[in-house]
Amino acid sequence: MLSIRNLSVFYGDAQALDNVSLDVPAGSITAIVGANGAGKTTLIRTIAGMLSAASGEISYKERIITGLPGHQVCDLGIGQVAEGRQVFPTLTVEENLAMGAMLPRARASRKRNLERVYTMFPRLSERRRQNAGTMSGGEQQMLAIGRCLMGEPELIMFDEPSLGLSPALVSDMLATIGSLSQSGLTCILVEQNVAQSLKLSAYAYVLENGRIVLSGSGAAVLGDDRVRQAYLGL
Amino acid sequence: MSLTLSASVIVQGVLTGLVYGLMALGLSVIFGIVRVVNFAHGEFAVLAMYIAYLLFFWLKLDPFLAALPIAALFFGVGYLLQRALINSFVARAEHDQFILMVGLAIVLVNGCLMIFGPEARHAELSYSLDSWLAGPLIIDAVRVYAAIGSLVVALMLLAFFRLTDTGTAIRACADNRLAAAIVGLDTRRLYALTFGLGLACVGAAGAMQTAIIDPNPSLAPGMTLLAFTVVIVGGLGSLIGALFAGILIGVAEALSSLVMAPSMKSLASFAVLVLVLVLRPQGLFGKGG
Amino acid sequence: MSRSGPHFGAARVDRRTLLLAGTTLSLATLAAPPATRAQAKSLRVASLLPRSGFLAPAGQSCHRGALAAQALLTDLGHAIEIVHIDTESNVETARTQAERAINEGAQALVGPFESGAALAIAQVCEQRKVPFIVNIAAAPQLTEQGYQFLVRNFQTGGQLVANGLKLIASLLDAQKLSYQSAVFLHANDTFGTAQRGAMDALFPKANLPFKLLDSIAYDPRAQDLSVEVTRLRSLSPDIVMVVTRAGDAVKLVRDMVRQRFEPKAIISPGSPGLYDEEFFQTLGPLSDFMIYNVPWVNPKSAMTSALEKAFAKANPSNRFAVDCLNAGFTFEAFLIAADAFKRAGTSNGPELMAAIRASNITEHVMTGGPITFDAKGQNPNIASVSVQNIKRTPTVVLPADIATTAPVMPMPGWQGRS
Ligand SMILES: Nc1ncnc2c1ncn2[C@@H]1O[C@H](COP(=O)(O)OP(=O)(O)OP(=O)(O)O)[C@@H](O)[C@H]1O
Ligand SMILES: [Mg+2]
């Protein structure tokens, strides 16, 4: 579904991604793991068109999308649940959700999608008139996911969705992502909870200092000694 | 000091203040969302005044009606300006933006000077000298029209931001720029719209001012300064704040010229500014400290 | 505001080139033996006026007088050559242009409508020993600082106010009116503030039959004067005494009309503003019945009619009746120079200056006695008269011997005028 070839990205002189190649097959979860500063967020933002690549190519559904502006990438069906949730704090829950549906692809079915989101997260429905900034971290994370779903994405990129959540909520969150994947959505999952997320994922890539150092099925990567040592402390 | 006198001065202050508010709204919208300080604000207002004057002179078009096409024209100018020029400066250092906007201001004011000369122009409307008696008060017709016009434009703008999706999207951009990019809002287009809206406010306010003040290039710096004062007093980025602070400063000016010497008028707005900066640095309606 | 006038872009380059050319030329002139200059057949006089910038309306009005002066003085058999120079309403420009004019051969200087520029030019003339005849400028210190090369054929601010107040009393007397109260409203610029000072000093001594309720300063560049007028209206004086400058007079009248404030008289004890063409054009019938007590052209003088003809010929689209204070004093300044040149027979600075100081010109245009100068270089004989706008035309209404019509007092209401 998404395929990346030899991607390099710089912040000024500092290289954040170095010749990264990876494939995300449709209908399953692909995990990307790596230490802090490895370049995971950079990868997601480059795919989303928010950062520009120095070299390399990104193609989505057989179409090259490198260099497209962010709003056009989103309109192709590539959604994002960003690191740190990134809600609009002074907008109400409902307004936040509406912003997710500003994409041309999602305008027509906005009403239906809103109902879907509210059914999926009844919490949001209860708080629809509340300002997003006044909600708890877990609620904000629900809102971020709901807002993303409002854009009718076919591919969702999750950047550390469980960051700062209680263990119980983390499980809920991962369960939600699992069920989204079950319903046919393609997912890229960047997670701190390496073990749990690799179990959920069909494929996985390990990113270190901007390079892919290991890849394979979720189970294979989870079984790799280096991964077990570095990320699981075993 | 008689009650009637104070009352009529306060009424005048409120009326003038509403126009100040609309003027400042234009600056506030642009700064609050695009984060670019429009140093050419007063110059745009003067340009609008001259256009209104010319439309009146050639076509006998009433400045209050001319406010509509001028606002539309300024919207277009603002939109294109932001797209073509300012967008590439949004991420640049503040002093680069400053130089760009000041350069624009110089071009505008000297353009007006070259075309119209330094003398003031008068647009003499059939009702420019009308006034109404309200009990013991006398109220100028043109000021009432300008105040109502300003209020209508301001409320329309507020409604646009509250009630429409595009308006909400613009607020979203101001709220969290990163999030706006993440959900796929076309921020460049929204900034251009915002700049256009900001200038449309200035255009409408300028056009309506033509009924009260005679256009003159030398008015520009004072108008920029006044708009800044109003925006800072009201709280950066707060639209209601700008409107409220406009009225506050209008009344403060009017009262100060009653209580102290009229020539102290402009000092009053600075006094309010200093007070607000000391007691509530974020402005009356500003967020956080 | 004064950072530019109609002169822009190309014009500025031209000026710079000219300045260069001027400097070269002046070096040549300086090098020439002084004898050739002294024996000149005609007198070269520079006219320094603010023809652009914020004083432009008045400067242009003076300039039209200078144009008429060239024609009329030549007709009268005077050998005079006037060079026109713009001071751009800027004191520094006035100084450098004076310097340049002398370098280029000007043997006397006339101008500059404004006291700041006059002080700057006076210093240059003092140094270069070239006579300087002030056409219009009211600051008292001009003739108090011992300048040897300066004379002023205009009233000082104090004289303007003193004479203006006396005339108000005469107006009330002549019309048998007993007005009780007045408010003094004045611009807060240099001139207006100086007039306020004079008013504060002179009013208590002037023994006028009415009370001064208040004095109000305003900013002549303010966008409107509504609050000032509201305050005025609440004081409700019979007479409003004003010191206006130009466009502010228009704003003042407009706000009075809007607030339906109709005093019995609006009188300027000596200031511009109420008789600019802009004032008449903008306000139409509302400009009528304003009174200003200023020196004016004497309608009964033969030379006035001659000047009026010359003025009409030189400026076909302007009204002499409106320009005549500015144009008249500007003309007289050139007359003083030409007359002295005739008597002295030389353009040598000190000799010409001596002749100027010895002037005794009985046949001239402005009201008052003969043009003479006291030890300080001040003409003490200038008289103020009362002039009133009647049918959009300034008309002398007092003193009776030169008045062309009687004053209209009290002022008719704003409504229903034609
Ligand atoms: N805006 C920026 N300017 C300069 N360098 C940056 C910027 N953003 C990130 N970097 C650097 O690029 C590298 C990759 O950062 P990135 O945020 O992609 O890492 P990450 O894998 O998402 O880390 P984390 O687990 O902390 O979120 C880091 O070294 C980081 O310091
Ligand atoms: Mg990250």
Side-chain angles (χ1 to χ4, degrees), chain C residues 203-265:
Chain C
F203 190 88
K205 290 187 250 162
N207 252 329
L208 287 160
F210 53 85
K211 271 210 306 267
L212 183 59
L213 301 178
D214 203 354
S215 292
I216 304 174
Y218 68 87
D219 180 354
R221 279 175 301 226
Q223 298 179 347
D224 64 71
L225 298 174
S226 63
V227 175
E228 287 79 349
V229 172
T230 308
R231 195 164 152 191
L232 204 52
R233 188 167 163 268
S234 76
L235 292 165
S236 189
D238 292 330
I239 305 173
V240 178
M241 296 191 285
V242 294
V243 169
T244 51
R245 297 301 276 147
D248 50 325
V250 173
K251 296 174 208 164
L252 181 65
V253 173
R254 280 185 180 164
D255 277 313
M256 283 191 180
V257 176
R258 285 191 193 122
Q259 301 199 23
R260 308 180 190 188
F261 172 54
E262 299 181 335
K264 297 192 173 104

Side-chain angles (χ1 to χ4, degrees), chain B residues 143-167:
Chain B
R143 285 198 176 81
V144 172
Y145 297 148
I148 292 175
S150 300
L151 197 60
V152 167
V153 175
L155 291 179
M156 271 164 51
L157 192 73
L158 289 177
F160 168 79
F161 280 125
R162 283 283 143 205
L163 304 177
T164 70
D165 282 340
T166 311

Side-chain angles (χ1 to χ4, degrees), chain B residues 5 8 12 110 113 122 124 128-129 131 133 138 140 143 213-214 218 254 257-258 260 262-263 265, chain C residues 1 4 8 188 216-217 223-224 226-228 230-231 233-234 250 254-255 257-260 278 282 286:
Chain B
L5 177 58
S8 50
Q12 277 166 23
N110 285 331
L113 265 174
H122 305 279
E124 203 68 45
S128 339
L129 299 174
S131 57
L133 288 172
I138 287 195
D140 302 350
R143 285 198 176 81
I213 319 173
D214 303 326
S218 66
S257 52
L258 182 65
M260 302 183 288
S263 47
K265 211 191 263 196
Chain C
M1 185 189 45
S4 59
F8 245 87
N188 70 347
I216 304 174
Q223 298 179 347
D224 64 71
S226 63
V227 175
E228 287 79 349
T230 308
R231 195 164 152 191
R233 188 167 163 268
S234 76
V250 173
R254 280 185 180 164
D255 277 313
V257 176
R258 285 191 193 122
Q259 301 199 23
R260 308 180 190 188
E278 186 196 13
T282 312
L286 298 175

